[in-house]
Amino acid sequence: MLYSNLSVNDAGHLAIGGIDALDLAERFGTPLYVLDEDMVRENCRTYLTAIGECLPEGSGALYASKALCFKGIYPVVESEGMGVDAVSPGEIYTARAAGFPAERIYFHGTNKTDDDIRYALNAGVGCFVVDNFNELAVLQSEAAKRGVMQRVLLRVTVGLDPHTLAAINTGRVDSQFGIPIETGQAEGFLFEALAQPNLQVDGFHSHIGSQIFEADSFCDQVDIMLRFAVAMRDKFGYVASVFNLGGGFGVRYVESDDQVDIAGNIHAIAEHLSAGCAAAGYPVPRVLFEPGRSIVANAGTTLYTTGGIKTVEGYRDYVTVDGGMTDNPRYALYKSAYTVLNASHADAEPDFTCTIAGRCCESGDRIAEDISMARPERGDVIAVLVTGAYNYAMSMNYNRIPRPALVMVSGGEARLAVRRQTFDDLIACEL
Ligand SMILES: *Cc1c(COP(=O)(O)O)cnc(C)c1O
């Protein structure tokens, strides 16, 4: 199996964290998101252990909430010692509703409205990752009104093009995220920020993209940030104490993807940074990472029930399931590859080539095209693996399809963490 928490049990069914997937489907209904909490914890530990081994005290990892945001995730990442990256007041609200301490939240976003800024200040978030000049001005004025000194990081764009999809590439100069170094504007951004009496500039942030497999891209990012930091020290006498390198570590979705060695990459980045700092006579900053996908993706599995099996003579076979783009829009958005298996016959040969389609009136509503699995019958449970990131978080109610339930499994036990939406939920905001 793709990951060690997945297995085939004596009944020939898929088991997730030791629990029979068919039992989960029966007990909680389908479609169903299953999140293996033990796997999430293991992923957090991989980061924090490696960081503790090779980076300065005070370095750490912030869980990027946008990958999967619901109350139940926060106590898990908090107890593992992670901070949190939030991109909206809604994410801040959810984290705090789950008891997550506001001072460990980093607030991101390209367009934080005046209300957003006030909301986050009132909540007491630890750090703003400031994206632009306009935000800087409003944040200063609101912080002054409250008489607080607000910690900030400045989001800069390093002008890198890692080998990843354009839609999830955020580090190029021409992007709506942050202020570019290459054009000289980041220098003015720092100058402006340092002049604000109620802002304490801890350092710099950049995020180069997502689903990145090589450490090289992160080392290039470190080089550019360090060169900028050294220039700013020489110019303004400012020394950054934090480099936040963002998220982006890749995840294995299908057999042909590499397994990213996260610990190895963190060690490589740390060595690269120390060498660069030594050469420049710059104190090694604390380093923060913001992993989202690599914390939750491989911990998630989506279970569906097979509806129809249809052969379009001379073309292909379709299998329709009781969910689709409404719970997983990633194929529709990015043509993302997934591993799909027949959980009811997980021990059978995957000898049937088919396209998995959802239930929306939308020809793009597909989960995977031309994949191989054991031929299903109506009623069989189908599992789509590695759906923990950007699935529930991106789910929607198109065609008035209620959002699925989410179940967390740990130590062989399953518990409902998000109940399935009802039809009443669908009309709850309608007057
Ligand atoms: C999306 C994002 C992340 C998380 O990226 P992953 O690829 O899920 O690890 C972290 N930081 C920022 C600023 C982001 O936009």
Side-chain angles (χ1 to χ4, degrees):
M1 289 269 174
L2 212 52
Y3 290 100
S4 59
N5 64 328
L6 304 174
S7 57
V8 180
N9 65 17
D10 293 344
H13 301 161
L14 173 72
I16 305 167
I19 306 178
D20 191 313
L22 272 62
D23 289 348
L24 291 171
E26 167 94 38
R27 186 169 153 205
F28 298 103
T30 59
L32 181 70
Y33 296 112
V34 183
L35 186 74
D36 186 333
E37 179 186 327
D38 301 332
M39 190 86 160
V40 173
R41 289 185 181 278
E42 201 178 303
N43 292 336
C44 293
R45 284 173 203 171
T46 299
Y47 273 93
L48 296 176
T49 304
I51 290 168
E53 284 163 0
C54 61
L55 286 164
E57 175 97 30
S59 297
L62 317 172
Y63 168 62
S65 297
K66 72 169 196 245
L68 173 60
C69 182
F70 70 104
K71 282 167 64 184
I73 196 70
Y74 291 101
V76 175
V77 296
E78 186 195 357
S79 66
E80 293 298 332
M82 307 270 286
V84 150
D85 144 6
V87 295
S88 68
E91 287 187 356
I92 295 171
Y93 179 85
T94 308
R96 294 184 73 225
F100 194 88
E103 62 275 12
R104 279 166 59 190
I105 298 177
Y106 285 65
F107 183 29
H108 269 279
T110 43
N111 178 12
K112 302 179 186 78
T113 66
D114 292 6
D115 279 343
D116 292 352
I117 291 169
R118 288 190 279 265
Y119 180 89
L121 280 170
N122 293 342
V125 303
C127 188
F128 277 66
V129 183
V130 181
D131 180 87
N132 55 66
F133 289 90
N134 308 87
E135 179 187 339
L136 203 57
V138 177
L139 181 57
Q140 162 56 34
S141 116
E142 292 294 335
K145 274 186 213 159
R146 289 163 180 76
V148 297
M149 186 60 137
Q150 180 61 49
R151 288 196 298 116
V152 301
L153 293 174
L154 303 182
R155 180 157 182 174
V156 296
T157 330
V158 293
L160 269 179
D161 206 346
H163 307 289
T164 182
L165 284 167
I168 51 176
N169 176 332
T170 53
R172 287 172 306 176
V173 174
D174 180 9
S175 100
Q176 75 268 43
F177 304 100
I179 300 289
I181 292 174
E182 190 181 301
T183 59
Q185 290 163 286
E187 179 182 322
F189 192 31
L190 175 64
F191 180 78
E192 193 80 14
L194 292 174
Q196 307 306 322
N198 293 80
L199 305 184
Q200 178 194 315
V201 185
D202 279 355
F204 306 115
H205 171 281
S206 70
H207 169 77
I208 55 173
S210 205
Q211 194 60 351
I212 298 166
F213 286 84
E214 335 86 57
D216 290 9
S217 301
F218 294 103
C219 289
D220 292 346
Q221 176 190 13
V222 162
D223 282 341
I224 299 168
M225 282 175 85
L226 185 58
R227 211 178 307 137
F228 174 66
V230 169
M232 293 306 99
R233 176 194 60 187
D234 296 348
K235 189 134 193 166
F236 303 127
Y238 171 78
V239 175
S241 56
V242 175
F243 278 12
N244 182 328
L245 302 181
F249 278 117
V251 163
R252 186 177 193 216
Y253 284 95
V254 290
E255 294 281 353
S256 58
D257 284 340
D258 291 332
Q259 177 70 57
V260 175
D261 175 8
I262 289 170
N265 281 348
I266 290 173
H267 279 269
I269 294 164
E271 270 167 39
H272 194 79
L273 177 66
S274 317
C277 286
Y282 199 88
V284 181
R286 289 183 274 131
V287 175
L288 299 175
F289 292 94
E290 294 173 331
R293 187 191 307 274
S294 52
I295 296 294
V296 289
N298 65 2
T301 307
T302 306
L303 302 179
Y304 299 105
T305 302
T306 305
I309 302 95
K310 180 187 294 183
T311 301
V312 179
E313 298 281 350
Y315 293 89
R316 64 172 104 197
D317 291 304
Y318 287 93
V319 170
T320 53
V321 295
D322 54 354
M325 68 186 286
T326 49
D327 58 81
N328 181 358
R330 290 188 69 251
Y331 190 84
L333 279 170
Y334 317 117
K335 291 256 184 282
S336 305
Y338 279 104
T339 302
V340 183
L341 50 88
N342 184 340
S344 301
H345 301 282
D347 52 350
E349 272 307 302
D351 53 6
F352 177 61
T353 302
C354 60
T355 288
I356 312 291
R359 58 183 296 180
C360 283
C361 307
E362 191 72 37
S363 54
D365 183 6
R366 293 178 180 185
I367 293 294
E369 287 186 344
D370 301 323
I371 48 102
S372 297
M373 65 190 291
R375 188 187 183 96
E377 289 171 10
R378 186 176 174 89
D380 276 1
V381 174
I382 286 182
V384 180
L385 310 185
V386 200
T387 56
Y390 305 112
N391 273 233
Y392 175 69
M394 283 186 168
S395 63
M396 58 178 150
N397 290 127
Y398 184 48
N399 284 195
R400 289 265 139 151
I401 293 171
R403 285 184 171 79
L406 187 153
V407 160
M408 290 173 89
V409 301
S410 175
E413 301 286 332
R415 66 179 195 282
L416 190 63
V418 181
R419 69 158 171 80
R420 186 175 304 282
Q421 278 188 329
T422 63
F423 295 144
D424 279 340
D425 290 330
L426 294 177
I427 60 166
C429 299
E430 296 164 19
L431 310 175

